[in-house]
Amino acid sequence: MKVYINGLGSVSCQEGTRNFKSSDLTRVSQGINQAQQPSYKELIPAGMLRRMAKGVKMGIYASHSALEEANIAVPDAVITGTGLGCLIDSEKFLSTMLENNESYLTPTSFIQSTHNTVGGQIALKLQCMGYNFTYVNQNTSFESALLDGLLQVQAGELNNALIGGVDEIGDITMRFLQLTKKINTVDEIFPKGVNYGEGATFIVLDNKQTTQSYAELVDTAICNRVESVEDFIQSFLSSQYIVPEQIDVLVLGSNQTANDGAFYAQAQAICSSSALETFKEFSGEYHTASAFGLLNACEMLKYQQLFSTGESKPIEYILVYNQFDGKDHSLTLLKKCGD
Amino acid sequence: MQERIVITGMGIISAIGNTVEENYNALLSGQSGIGDLTLFDSIHQESIKVGQVKKSTEELIAELGLSSDNNYTRTALLGAHAAKEAIANAGIQDINDRKTGLISSTSVGGMDYTEKFFYDFETSQASRKYIDTQGAGDSTEKIADCLGLHGLVTTISTACSSAANAIILGARLLKAGKLDRVIVGGTDALSKFTVNGFNTLMILTDGYNTPFDQNRKGLNLGEAAAYLVLEHEAIAIADGRTILGVVSGYANANDAYHQTASSENGEGAFLAMQKALEMAKMSPNNVDYVNAHGTATPNNDLSEGRAMQRIFTDHMPAFSSTKPFTGHTLAAAGAIEAVYSLLAMQYGVVFPNKNFVTPMEELAIRPQTSLLHKEINSVLSNSFGFGGNCSTVIFSKF
C-alpha cells in the first residue's frame, strides 16, 4: 500500500508552522538558538500550560497543526522520536536532587523527564488509545519513528499515523556540550562546533492521497555506521528501483563543519545531477532536526519549487540524507504525488 | 501460512544471575535478588531495597575487554554483557553475515554517569568523555559497537514497556523484510535519579515487593539487561539454529487515562492483550501461563488484575509476577520476562509469585505462589509503562 504525507506542522527557530520560504527565514547565527514559541493558549488550558514541559507544548502545537491539515481528529497511532526528551525537566530534577542531597524533590519534573512524555501527553489530549511508541536513538530518533509508521501503514495495520520529532534545549547540557567544543559559543566557533536549535516537527502519514497530500513517502532507512555513503545510498535507491539520476533534489543535513563535509560530499558526488538543498542553517542542529528538512522536502514536492531560491521546476523525487559526527545515517525518499 | 518469527538465542544479566542458566536456577530455587543498595550512596539506602546485579562496573569492563579510556556507562555495560550471551547462545559467528539489526531500549540511559560527574564536567577534563553518554541512544550505540554490528540500530524508550516494544518492532522489521535477524531487548542500570524519581511518586516499598497482594506497598527497583535473537523461521532453519520459541502475537495500546497512573478497569492493558491474542489467532483458553507485569504498586496490580479478569473471565491460567526475584527493571523488564517466559515453556514450569500472602479484595484471581510443573505451550507476557503505554507479547512453542 502506498503511503502519503497529508499534514505538516512545526515549531522551530522560525516564525510560522509551515510554508517556509528561505528568503523569509532567519539564519541561525549563534551557538544556541531557542525556538520561536507560538501562542499556546488556544490549545492548552492556562493551568496546564504553566507546568507543561516546553517539548510537550511544542509537540502538542505541531501535532495539532499537522492533524488539522490532514483533517484527522484522532490518529490510529502516535509515534515520536526525541534525542533527549524533555531535557529541561531532566536537568531540573537532577540538579535539585544533587544540590539538596536528595531532598525537597517533587514528581512533576521526574515524570516529564520520561522520554515518552510527549507521545503520552498527545495521546492523552486526543484520547488516542492506539499504538504509541517513542524512539530515542540520537540523530535517527525521528527516522526510526518514521520507519515504524511507514511499515504499519504499508502493511495495512494502520490507516494513518501521527509521526513527530521533538527536542528542547537544556541550558546545562548545552553548557556541557560547549565544554567539549561540540556547540559553538558566543565567542568561539569550534572546528567541529555546530549551532544548536530545538523544535517539534510532526507529519501525518495516511494510506489515502488527498488534495492536501504533500508527497508519497516511498521509503526510509537508518544505519548506525556506514563504511561507504555511496553503497548506503545505492542499495537504498536500488531497493526501490531508482537510480541517482532520478533524484531531482538532494536535501542534506549538513552543518558545514569540518567533520561532516566528507560524508555529504560523497552523497553529492553520487547524486551529481540533483539540485542541492540544506536546512540546518534555518533549524539549527538537534537530534530530530532532520524532520525539519523532511518538512521542507514535502513543501518542495507539493509546490514544485526549490526551497532555497523559490525557483519553479519539475520535481519528481527528493532524497533526504542526514548523519551526525559520522554516525546515525538516515535516508528518506519522497515522491511527487500522482495526478 | 505466514512465515513465523522465531527466537534463536537469549542472554540476560539480572539481580538473580549473570547468565540464562544462573537466572533459571534462581527461579527454580526461589532465590530472590532483592537486597541492600550498595552501588552508590543515597539517603534512601536504609529505607529501600533494590535488585542489584552482582557484578561491579569494573568487573563488567574487564570481562568485555574494554580499554581504560572507555566511556561505557553501566547501562551500556549490562546491555553489552547480555547481548553477547544472546549472540553466543544463538551460535552466531559473524554478526554481519546476515542483514542484522539491533533494537535496544532503556529508560535511564547514561544518567548513572551524568549524575556522578555532574559537578566535575566543568573542571575535570577526564570526566568529559561521559558528557556524550547521557542520551538513551548512547548505550545502544555501544552495544552495537561491542557486537561489531553495522546496520539498522535504534532505541525505544516508552518507560517500563520499552523492551516489549523492542520485541514488537523487531518482529515487524523481520516481517517487512527489512532485516534477516534482529537482536531485541533492553538495559537499565540503577541510578540515583531513578531511585529518587520513583521515591517522589511514593511507589517504592520499604520491604520486599508483593505483587497482587492486598497489602502491597510498592515496587523494588532493579537493574538488568536481556536480549533475544529473532529470526525468520526459514533463515533460522537454513542456518541450523536451535529454535527456542515463536513470537506469535503482540500489540501495543494506550490507556489514555493519566500520565503515570493506569485506569481502574485497565482498558489499555485489556486492549493490548486482546489485540495480541487476535494476532496470534488464539483464544484466551490456549494461554498456559501469564507472566504479569505485576509491579506490586497498588495501582498497577488492580488495573492489570481487572484487565486479566476481563480477558480470561473464569478461565484464568496460572499467572505470576517475577518481580519479587529481580525487582522492577524498568525498560529491561519486558526482555527479562521474555527470557523467563521462554524458560517456562522450555522446561514446563511456572515460576512462583513470591511474597504473596493476602488475596486482593477486588480480584477473584490468585497468582501461582509455588513452583508448578506443567506443560506450557504458550505464554502471555505483559509490560506497562508511564504515558499509558501497554504492551503484550505472546510466545509459543515452535
Side-chain angles (χ1 to χ4, degrees), chain B residues 14-16 32-40 42 44-54 189-191 194-196 204-209 219-223 323-329:
Chain B
S14 78
I16 57 168
S32 164
I34 308 289
D36 291 338
L37 171 62
T38 58
L39 262 179
F40 45 81
S42 168
H44 306 298
Q45 258 158 330
E46 300 296 315
S47 56
I48 62 163
K49 299 197 179 304
V50 296
Q52 279 181 193
V53 165
K54 310 294 182 281
L190 279 166
S191 74
T194 330
V195 164
N196 280 279
L204 295 179
T205 176
D206 56 0
Y208 296 91
N209 74 85
L219 55 88
N220 300 110
L221 287 168
E223 59 177 358
K323 289 189 171 69
F325 285 96
T326 57
H328 188 1
T329 59

mmCIF file of all heavy atoms in Angstrom, chain B residues 14-16 32-40 42 44-54 189-191 194-196 204-209 219-223 323-329:
data_model
loop_
_atom_site.group_PDB
_atom_site.id
_atom_site.type_symbol
_atom_site.label_atom_id
_atom_site.label_comp_id
_atom_site.label_asym_id
_atom_site.label_seq_id
_atom_site.Cartn_x
_atom_site.Cartn_y
_atom_site.Cartn_z
ATOM 1 N N SER B 14 20.889 -10.147 35.566
ATOM 2 C CA SER B 14 19.930 -9.519 36.481
ATOM 3 C C SER B 14 20.396 -9.765 37.907
ATOM 4 O O SER B 14 21.445 -10.383 38.129
ATOM 5 C CB SER B 14 18.542 -10.132 36.283
ATOM 6 O OG SER B 14 18.471 -11.390 36.929
ATOM 7 N N ALA B 15 19.597 -9.309 38.838
ATOM 8 C CA ALA B 15 19.944 -9.476 40.251
ATOM 9 C C ALA B 15 20.014 -10.944 40.656
ATOM 10 O O ALA B 15 20.613 -11.280 41.680
ATOM 11 C CB ALA B 15 18.924 -8.740 41.117
ATOM 12 N N ILE B 16 19.403 -11.836 39.865
ATOM 13 C CA ILE B 16 19.454 -13.251 40.253
ATOM 14 C C ILE B 16 20.419 -14.064 39.383
ATOM 15 O O ILE B 16 20.402 -15.290 39.434
ATOM 16 C CB ILE B 16 18.058 -13.917 40.282
ATOM 17 C CG1 ILE B 16 17.344 -13.804 38.925
ATOM 18 C CG2 ILE B 16 17.215 -13.329 41.403
ATOM 19 C CD1 ILE B 16 16.101 -14.688 38.837
ATOM 20 N N SER B 32 15.651 -14.971 45.706
ATOM 21 C CA SER B 32 15.426 -13.594 45.251
ATOM 22 C C SER B 32 16.736 -12.816 45.201
ATOM 23 O O SER B 32 17.676 -13.108 45.939
ATOM 24 C CB SER B 32 14.455 -12.897 46.201
ATOM 25 O OG SER B 32 14.506 -11.506 46.006
ATOM 26 N N GLY B 33 16.780 -11.816 44.340
ATOM 27 C CA GLY B 33 17.969 -10.978 44.225
ATOM 28 C C GLY B 33 17.811 -9.626 44.887
ATOM 29 O O GLY B 33 18.659 -8.743 44.742
ATOM 30 N N ILE B 34 16.723 -9.437 45.620
ATOM 31 C CA ILE B 34 16.466 -8.125 46.235
ATOM 32 C C ILE B 34 17.275 -7.982 47.519
ATOM 33 O O ILE B 34 17.293 -8.889 48.350
ATOM 34 C CB ILE B 34 14.962 -7.963 46.564
ATOM 35 C CG1 ILE B 34 14.083 -8.252 45.349
ATOM 36 C CG2 ILE B 34 14.681 -6.585 47.157
ATOM 37 C CD1 ILE B 34 14.117 -7.236 44.260
ATOM 38 N N GLY B 35 17.932 -6.853 47.673
ATOM 39 C CA GLY B 35 18.732 -6.618 48.882
ATOM 40 C C GLY B 35 19.081 -5.152 49.038
ATOM 41 O O GLY B 35 18.407 -4.280 48.471
ATOM 42 N N ASP B 36 20.155 -4.886 49.774
ATOM 43 C CA ASP B 36 20.534 -3.500 50.061
ATOM 44 C C ASP B 36 21.116 -2.803 48.836
ATOM 45 O O ASP B 36 21.729 -3.427 47.985
ATOM 46 C CB ASP B 36 21.572 -3.474 51.184
ATOM 47 C CG ASP B 36 20.948 -3.884 52.515
ATOM 48 O OD1 ASP B 36 19.706 -3.772 52.639
ATOM 49 O OD2 ASP B 36 21.689 -4.330 53.404
ATOM 50 N N LEU B 37 20.920 -1.491 48.812
ATOM 51 C CA LEU B 37 21.501 -0.654 47.765
ATOM 52 C C LEU B 37 22.933 -0.309 48.169
ATOM 53 O O LEU B 37 23.148 0.371 49.173
ATOM 54 C CB LEU B 37 20.666 0.628 47.608
ATOM 55 C CG LEU B 37 21.234 1.735 46.705
ATOM 56 C CD1 LEU B 37 21.396 1.269 45.264
ATOM 57 C CD2 LEU B 37 20.337 2.972 46.752
ATOM 58 N N THR B 38 23.896 -0.811 47.400
ATOM 59 C CA THR B 38 25.299 -0.532 47.727
ATOM 60 C C THR B 38 26.060 0.081 46.555
ATOM 61 O O THR B 38 27.227 0.438 46.685
ATOM 62 C CB THR B 38 26.036 -1.834 48.126
ATOM 63 O OG1 THR B 38 25.924 -2.759 47.036
ATOM 64 C CG2 THR B 38 25.443 -2.458 49.372
ATOM 65 N N LEU B 39 25.398 0.195 45.401
ATOM 66 C CA LEU B 39 26.065 0.704 44.190
ATOM 67 C C LEU B 39 26.508 2.148 44.330
ATOM 68 O O LEU B 39 27.504 2.567 43.757
ATOM 69 C CB LEU B 39 25.111 0.629 43.001
ATOM 70 C CG LEU B 39 25.214 -0.538 42.042
ATOM 71 C CD1 LEU B 39 24.136 -0.388 40.977
ATOM 72 C CD2 LEU B 39 26.582 -0.611 41.382
ATOM 73 N N PHE B 40 25.726 2.941 45.029
ATOM 74 C CA PHE B 40 26.062 4.358 45.227
ATOM 75 C C PHE B 40 25.445 4.806 46.552
ATOM 76 O O PHE B 40 24.565 4.136 47.082
ATOM 77 C CB PHE B 40 25.544 5.226 44.070
ATOM 78 C CG PHE B 40 24.134 4.919 43.637
ATOM 79 C CD1 PHE B 40 23.037 5.425 44.327
ATOM 80 C CD2 PHE B 40 23.893 4.095 42.533
ATOM 81 C CE1 PHE B 40 21.741 5.132 43.935
ATOM 82 C CE2 PHE B 40 22.594 3.799 42.128
ATOM 83 C CZ PHE B 40 21.517 4.316 42.834
ATOM 84 N N SER B 42 23.141 6.939 48.961
ATOM 85 C CA SER B 42 21.839 7.585 48.838
ATOM 86 C C SER B 42 21.234 7.709 50.220
ATOM 87 O O SER B 42 21.439 6.831 51.077
ATOM 88 C CB SER B 42 20.914 6.745 47.948
ATOM 89 O OG SER B 42 19.587 7.209 48.057
ATOM 90 N N HIS B 44 18.385 7.230 50.824
ATOM 91 C CA HIS B 44 17.307 6.230 50.895
ATOM 92 C C HIS B 44 17.832 4.823 51.155
ATOM 93 O O HIS B 44 17.059 3.872 51.204
ATOM 94 C CB HIS B 44 16.501 6.249 49.595
ATOM 95 C CG HIS B 44 15.992 7.606 49.237
ATOM 96 N ND1 HIS B 44 15.112 8.302 50.040
ATOM 97 C CD2 HIS B 44 16.254 8.412 48.181
ATOM 98 C CE1 HIS B 44 14.865 9.482 49.478
ATOM 99 N NE2 HIS B 44 15.548 9.571 48.355
ATOM 100 N N GLN B 45 19.149 4.698 51.329
ATOM 101 C CA GLN B 45 19.747 3.361 51.461
ATOM 102 C C GLN B 45 19.128 2.512 52.566
ATOM 103 O O GLN B 45 18.979 1.311 52.408
ATOM 104 C CB GLN B 45 21.257 3.485 51.712
ATOM 105 C CG GLN B 45 22.057 3.200 50.464
ATOM 106 C CD GLN B 45 23.440 3.805 50.480
ATOM 107 O OE1 GLN B 45 23.673 4.851 51.086
ATOM 108 N NE2 GLN B 45 24.364 3.155 49.799
ATOM 109 N N GLU B 46 18.757 3.157 53.659
ATOM 110 C CA GLU B 46 18.211 2.405 54.790
ATOM 111 C C GLU B 46 16.745 2.048 54.575
ATOM 112 O O GLU B 46 16.238 1.111 55.180
ATOM 113 C CB GLU B 46 18.326 3.245 56.078
ATOM 114 C CG GLU B 46 19.741 3.632 56.445
ATOM 115 C CD GLU B 46 20.591 2.408 56.777
ATOM 116 O OE1 GLU B 46 20.108 1.532 57.515
ATOM 117 O OE2 GLU B 46 21.727 2.322 56.261
ATOM 118 N N SER B 47 16.077 2.824 53.734
ATOM 119 C CA SER B 47 14.617 2.672 53.669
ATOM 120 C C SER B 47 14.112 1.890 52.454
ATOM 121 O O SER B 47 12.929 1.573 52.384
ATOM 122 C CB SER B 47 13.959 4.055 53.705
ATOM 123 O OG SER B 47 14.478 4.846 52.654
ATOM 124 N N ILE B 48 15.001 1.594 51.499
ATOM 125 C CA ILE B 48 14.526 0.818 50.344
ATOM 126 C C ILE B 48 15.439 -0.376 50.080
ATOM 127 O O ILE B 48 16.571 -0.428 50.559
ATOM 128 C CB ILE B 48 14.463 1.675 49.053
ATOM 129 C CG1 ILE B 48 15.861 2.181 48.667
ATOM 130 C CG2 ILE B 48 13.468 2.814 49.181
ATOM 131 C CD1 ILE B 48 15.960 2.672 47.230
ATOM 132 N N LYS B 49 14.914 -1.315 49.319
ATOM 133 C CA LYS B 49 15.718 -2.448 48.856
ATOM 134 C C LYS B 49 15.643 -2.491 47.332
ATOM 135 O O LYS B 49 14.647 -2.057 46.750
ATOM 136 C CB LYS B 49 15.182 -3.745 49.459
ATOM 137 C CG LYS B 49 15.257 -3.744 50.979
ATOM 138 C CD LYS B 49 15.128 -5.103 51.565
ATOM 139 C CE LYS B 49 15.228 -5.072 53.081
ATOM 140 N NZ LYS B 49 16.481 -4.442 53.572
ATOM 141 N N VAL B 50 16.711 -2.993 46.752
ATOM 142 C CA VAL B 50 16.780 -2.993 45.281
ATOM 143 C C VAL B 50 17.323 -4.325 44.758
ATOM 144 O O VAL B 50 17.881 -5.118 45.520
ATOM 145 C CB VAL B 50 17.690 -1.849 44.760
ATOM 146 C CG1 VAL B 50 17.123 -0.491 45.104
ATOM 147 C CG2 VAL B 50 19.107 -2.005 45.300
ATOM 148 N N GLY B 51 17.154 -4.524 43.468
ATOM 149 C CA GLY B 51 17.718 -5.707 42.809
ATOM 150 C C GLY B 51 18.974 -5.329 42.044
ATOM 151 O O GLY B 51 18.892 -4.901 40.892
ATOM 152 N N GLN B 52 20.125 -5.456 42.690
ATOM 153 C CA GLN B 52 21.398 -5.092 42.037
ATOM 154 C C GLN B 52 21.996 -6.296 41.321
ATOM 155 O O GLN B 52 21.957 -7.411 41.828
ATOM 156 C CB GLN B 52 22.414 -4.639 43.086
ATOM 157 C CG GLN B 52 22.251 -3.219 43.519
ATOM 158 C CD GLN B 52 23.316 -2.807 44.552
ATOM 159 O OE1 GLN B 52 23.162 -1.779 45.150
ATOM 160 N NE2 GLN B 52 24.360 -3.578 44.756
ATOM 161 N N VAL B 53 22.612 -6.034 40.188
ATOM 162 C CA VAL B 53 23.395 -7.066 39.508
ATOM 163 C C VAL B 53 24.647 -7.313 40.351
ATOM 164 O O VAL B 53 25.261 -6.358 40.840
ATOM 165 C CB VAL B 53 23.763 -6.594 38.083
ATOM 166 C CG1 VAL B 53 24.864 -7.458 37.491
ATOM 167 C CG2 VAL B 53 22.524 -6.613 37.197
ATOM 168 N N LYS B 54 25.014 -8.594 40.500
ATOM 169 C CA LYS B 54 26.115 -8.910 41.409
ATOM 170 C C LYS B 54 27.476 -8.852 40.705
ATOM 171 O O LYS B 54 28.321 -9.718 40.868
ATOM 172 C CB LYS B 54 25.895 -10.303 42.034
ATOM 173 C CG LYS B 54 24.509 -10.521 42.638
ATOM 174 C CD LYS B 54 24.255 -9.620 43.848
ATOM 175 C CE LYS B 54 22.886 -9.877 44.485
ATOM 176 N NZ LYS B 54 21.750 -9.236 43.748
ATOM 177 N N ALA B 189 20.474 0.431 34.151
ATOM 178 C CA ALA B 189 21.249 0.344 35.394
ATOM 179 C C ALA B 189 20.513 1.133 36.465
ATOM 180 O O ALA B 189 19.728 2.029 36.153
ATOM 181 C CB ALA B 189 22.636 0.926 35.174
ATOM 182 N N LEU B 190 20.779 0.824 37.705
ATOM 183 C CA LEU B 190 20.206 1.614 38.790
ATOM 184 C C LEU B 190 20.889 2.975 38.817
ATOM 185 O O LEU B 190 22.079 3.088 38.516
ATOM 186 C CB LEU B 190 20.433 0.910 40.126
ATOM 187 C CG LEU B 190 19.459 -0.211 40.461
ATOM 188 C CD1 LEU B 190 19.991 -1.042 41.621
ATOM 189 C CD2 LEU B 190 18.073 0.343 40.792
ATOM 190 N N SER B 191 20.139 3.994 39.141
ATOM 191 C CA SER B 191 20.734 5.319 39.282
ATOM 192 C C SER B 191 20.023 6.060 40.403
ATOM 193 O O SER B 191 18.888 5.741 40.758
ATOM 194 C CB SER B 191 20.595 6.109 37.978
ATOM 195 O OG SER B 191 19.257 6.529 37.812
ATOM 196 N N THR B 194 16.743 7.637 39.171
ATOM 197 C CA THR B 194 15.541 6.795 39.136
ATOM 198 C C THR B 194 15.030 6.507 40.542
ATOM 199 O O THR B 194 13.825 6.539 40.789
ATOM 200 C CB THR B 194 15.851 5.454 38.437
ATOM 201 O OG1 THR B 194 16.866 5.648 37.482
ATOM 202 C CG2 THR B 194 14.638 4.909 37.773
ATOM 203 N N VAL B 195 15.963 6.206 41.456
ATOM 204 C CA VAL B 195 15.548 5.915 42.835
ATOM 205 C C VAL B 195 14.756 7.101 43.381
ATOM 206 O O VAL B 195 13.665 6.941 43.948
ATOM 207 C CB VAL B 195 16.791 5.621 43.722
ATOM 208 C CG1 VAL B 195 16.445 5.712 45.200
ATOM 209 C CG2 VAL B 195 17.382 4.257 43.375
ATOM 210 N N ASN B 196 15.292 8.302 43.186
ATOM 211 C CA ASN B 196 14.611 9.485 43.710
ATOM 212 C C ASN B 196 13.328 9.800 42.956
ATOM 213 O O ASN B 196 12.361 10.270 43.544
ATOM 214 C CB ASN B 196 15.556 10.681 43.722
ATOM 215 C CG ASN B 196 16.474 10.649 44.914
ATOM 216 O OD1 ASN B 196 16.085 11.040 46.011
ATOM 217 N ND2 ASN B 196 17.678 10.126 44.730
ATOM 218 N N LEU B 204 7.620 3.238 46.015
ATOM 219 C CA LEU B 204 8.664 2.287 46.416
ATOM 220 C C LEU B 204 8.281 1.674 47.758
ATOM 221 O O LEU B 204 7.915 2.386 48.688
ATOM 222 C CB LEU B 204 10.019 2.998 46.559
ATOM 223 C CG LEU B 204 10.654 3.585 45.299
ATOM 224 C CD1 LEU B 204 11.977 4.280 45.652
ATOM 225 C CD2 LEU B 204 10.899 2.494 44.256
ATOM 226 N N THR B 205 8.382 0.355 47.865
ATOM 227 C CA THR B 205 8.111 -0.288 49.148
ATOM 228 C C THR B 205 9.351 -0.181 50.032
ATOM 229 O O THR B 205 10.472 -0.068 49.533
ATOM 230 C CB THR B 205 7.731 -1.772 48.949
ATOM 231 O OG1 THR B 205 7.563 -2.376 50.231
ATOM 232 C CG2 THR B 205 8.795 -2.541 48.180
ATOM 233 N N ASP B 206 9.141 -0.229 51.346
ATOM 234 C CA ASP B 206 10.298 -0.245 52.246
ATOM 235 C C ASP B 206 10.717 -1.684 52.558
ATOM 236 O O ASP B 206 11.645 -1.918 53.305
ATOM 237 C CB ASP B 206 9.993 0.535 53.535
ATOM 238 C CG ASP B 206 8.767 0.017 54.254
ATOM 239 O OD1 ASP B 206 8.151 -0.957 53.752
ATOM 240 O OD2 ASP B 206 8.413 0.562 55.318
ATOM 241 N N GLY B 207 9.982 -2.646 51.966
ATOM 242 C CA GLY B 207 10.337 -4.048 52.210
ATOM 243 C C GLY B 207 10.588 -4.775 50.910
ATOM 244 O O GLY B 207 11.332 -4.293 50.053
ATOM 245 N N TYR B 208 9.969 -5.942 50.779
ATOM 246 C CA TYR B 208 10.103 -6.746 49.559
ATOM 247 C C TYR B 208 8.783 -6.686 48.805
ATOM 248 O O TYR B 208 7.718 -6.814 49.412
ATOM 249 C CB TYR B 208 10.446 -8.191 49.933
ATOM 250 C CG TYR B 208 11.786 -8.303 50.616
ATOM 251 C CD1 TYR B 208 11.892 -8.225 52.006
ATOM 252 C CD2 TYR B 208 12.950 -8.441 49.867
ATOM 253 C CE1 TYR B 208 13.132 -8.294 52.636
ATOM 254 C CE2 TYR B 208 14.199 -8.514 50.484
ATOM 255 C CZ TYR B 208 14.276 -8.440 51.865
ATOM 256 O OH TYR B 208 15.506 -8.497 52.475
ATOM 257 N N ASN B 209 8.831 -6.473 47.502
ATOM 258 C CA ASN B 209 7.583 -6.255 46.754
ATOM 259 C C ASN B 209 6.706 -7.507 46.753
ATOM 260 O O ASN B 209 7.202 -8.641 46.693
ATOM 261 C CB ASN B 209 7.870 -5.718 45.354
ATOM 262 C CG ASN B 209 8.428 -6.753 44.398
ATOM 263 O OD1 ASN B 209 7.680 -7.496 43.765
ATOM 264 N ND2 ASN B 209 9.750 -6.829 44.284
ATOM 265 N N LEU B 219 6.969 -0.997 44.700
ATOM 266 C CA LEU B 219 7.945 -1.815 43.984
ATOM 267 C C LEU B 219 9.351 -1.679 44.554
ATOM 268 O O LEU B 219 9.652 -0.746 45.294
ATOM 269 C CB LEU B 219 7.926 -1.447 42.499
ATOM 270 C CG LEU B 219 8.132 0.017 42.080
ATOM 271 C CD1 LEU B 219 9.615 0.343 41.913
ATOM 272 C CD2 LEU B 219 7.418 0.256 40.739
ATOM 273 N N ASN B 220 10.200 -2.651 44.216
ATOM 274 C CA ASN B 220 11.647 -2.538 44.386
ATOM 275 C C ASN B 220 12.211 -2.265 42.999
ATOM 276 O O ASN B 220 11.843 -2.946 42.043
ATOM 277 C CB ASN B 220 12.263 -3.853 44.875
ATOM 278 C CG ASN B 220 11.715 -4.324 46.207
ATOM 279 O OD1 ASN B 220 10.994 -5.321 46.264
ATOM 280 N ND2 ASN B 220 12.034 -3.628 47.270
ATOM 281 N N LEU B 221 13.103 -1.295 42.909
ATOM 282 C CA LEU B 221 13.745 -1.074 41.619
ATOM 283 C C LEU B 221 14.837 -2.121 41.410
ATOM 284 O O LEU B 221 15.435 -2.604 42.377
ATOM 285 C CB LEU B 221 14.366 0.323 41.567
ATOM 286 C CG LEU B 221 13.364 1.462 41.437
ATOM 287 C CD1 LEU B 221 14.051 2.796 41.695
ATOM 288 C CD2 LEU B 221 12.708 1.465 40.063
ATOM 289 N N GLY B 222 15.069 -2.469 40.187
ATOM 290 C CA GLY B 222 16.137 -3.419 39.881
ATOM 291 C C GLY B 222 16.907 -2.957 38.666
ATOM 292 O O GLY B 222 16.459 -2.067 37.935
ATOM 293 N N GLU B 223 18.090 -3.539 38.468
ATOM 294 C CA GLU B 223 18.833 -3.256 37.241
ATOM 295 C C GLU B 223 19.035 -4.576 36.516
ATOM 296 O O GLU B 223 19.140 -5.632 37.153
ATOM 297 C CB GLU B 223 20.170 -2.580 37.533
ATOM 298 C CG GLU B 223 21.086 -3.397 38.427
ATOM 299 C CD GLU B 223 22.434 -2.718 38.641
ATOM 300 O OE1 GLU B 223 22.673 -1.639 38.077
ATOM 301 O OE2 GLU B 223 23.251 -3.290 39.383
ATOM 302 N N LYS B 323 8.746 -10.182 39.522
ATOM 303 C CA LYS B 323 9.462 -9.007 40.038
ATOM 304 C C LYS B 323 9.953 -9.180 41.478
ATOM 305 O O LYS B 323 10.915 -8.514 41.870
ATOM 306 C CB LYS B 323 8.613 -7.759 39.845
ATOM 307 C CG LYS B 323 8.554 -7.379 38.339
ATOM 308 C CD LYS B 323 7.923 -6.049 38.066
ATOM 309 C CE LYS B 323 8.083 -5.625 36.609
ATOM 310 N NZ LYS B 323 7.317 -6.437 35.648
ATOM 311 N N PRO B 324 9.366 -10.073 42.304
ATOM 312 C CA PRO B 324 9.978 -10.315 43.620
ATOM 313 C C PRO B 324 11.387 -10.917 43.500
ATOM 314 O O PRO B 324 12.185 -10.820 44.427
ATOM 315 C CB PRO B 324 9.017 -11.305 44.281
ATOM 316 C CG PRO B 324 7.694 -11.001 43.652
ATOM 317 C CD PRO B 324 8.024 -10.680 42.213
ATOM 318 N N PHE B 325 11.722 -11.512 42.379
ATOM 319 C CA PHE B 325 13.069 -12.043 42.165
ATOM 320 C C PHE B 325 14.040 -10.941 41.750
ATOM 321 O O PHE B 325 15.149 -10.852 42.258
ATOM 322 C CB PHE B 325 13.059 -13.092 41.038
ATOM 323 C CG PHE B 325 12.474 -14.418 41.427
ATOM 324 C CD1 PHE B 325 11.138 -14.708 41.159
ATOM 325 C CD2 PHE B 325 13.253 -15.378 42.052
ATOM 326 C CE1 PHE B 325 10.603 -15.937 41.513
ATOM 327 C CE2 PHE B 325 12.723 -16.614 42.410
ATOM 328 C CZ PHE B 325 11.383 -16.896 42.140
ATOM 329 N N THR B 326 13.624 -10.119 40.797
ATOM 330 C CA THR B 326 14.546 -9.191 40.125
ATOM 331 C C THR B 326 14.366 -7.732 40.513
ATOM 332 O O THR B 326 15.228 -6.908 40.238
ATOM 333 C CB THR B 326 14.320 -9.244 38.599
ATOM 334 O OG1 THR B 326 12.939 -8.921 38.342
ATOM 335 C CG2 THR B 326 14.619 -10.619 38.037
ATOM 336 N N GLY B 327 13.238 -7.402 41.098
ATOM 337 C CA GLY B 327 12.831 -6.008 41.212
ATOM 338 C C GLY B 327 12.271 -5.569 39.872
ATOM 339 O O GLY B 327 12.274 -6.340 38.901
ATOM 340 N N HIS B 328 11.778 -4.339 39.827
ATOM 341 C CA HIS B 328 11.242 -3.814 38.575
ATOM 342 C C HIS B 328 12.417 -3.233 37.792
ATOM 343 O O HIS B 328 12.997 -2.231 38.188
ATOM 344 C CB HIS B 328 10.182 -2.763 38.845
ATOM 345 C CG HIS B 328 9.461 -2.310 37.609
ATOM 346 N ND1 HIS B 328 9.734 -2.823 36.361
ATOM 347 C CD2 HIS B 328 8.470 -1.403 37.435
ATOM 348 C CE1 HIS B 328 8.953 -2.242 35.467
ATOM 349 N NE2 HIS B 328 8.169 -1.372 36.098
ATOM 350 N N THR B 329 12.736 -3.867 36.690
ATOM 351 C CA THR B 329 13.920 -3.475 35.929
ATOM 352 C C THR B 329 13.584 -2.517 34.787
ATOM 353 O O THR B 329 14.338 -2.390 33.822
ATOM 354 C CB THR B 329 14.656 -4.722 35.406
ATOM 355 O OG1 THR B 329 13.759 -5.464 34.567
ATOM 356 C CG2 THR B 329 15.097 -5.621 36.551
#
